[in-house]
Amino acid sequence: MTDDIWTIKELADYLKLKEKTAYALVAKGEIPGFKVGGSWRFRPRDIDRWITEQQEKNR
């Protein structure tokens, strides 16, 4: 089984950020995510799409 939803820690690891930085970006709405019971969750495909969008913006 693959993990289709990440926690904030998994997101931070994937993006090579500190968890505190990841929380700040998510809270500002800069990274796509959703809350489940008060905890942030992320779909890897949404994060990969967001990364692609960021790369295109910075060209």
Side-chain angles (χ1 to χ4, degrees):
M1 182 172 125
T2 61
D3 291 332
D4 294 328
I5 298 176
W6 290 342
T7 63
I8 192 83
K9 180 180 182 343
E10 291 166 318
L11 172 73
D13 288 345
Y14 185 72
L15 295 176
K16 298 186 181 358
L17 298 171
K18 292 183 180 181
E19 282 184 55
K20 185 175 180 176
T21 302
Y23 271 115
L25 292 170
V26 171
K28 287 195 247 178
E30 293 185 26
I31 295 178
F34 58 96
K35 280 194 170 184
V36 176
S39 298
W40 284 102
R41 297 293 185 258
F42 310 88
R43 291 193 185 276
R45 67 176 180 259
D46 293 340
I47 299 306
D48 287 338
R49 188 176 310 120
W50 175 80
I51 290 169
T52 300
E53 290 170 3
Q54 298 309 302
Q55 290 172 326
E56 305 235 338
K57 275 189 204 177
N58 294 313
R59 287 188 180 186

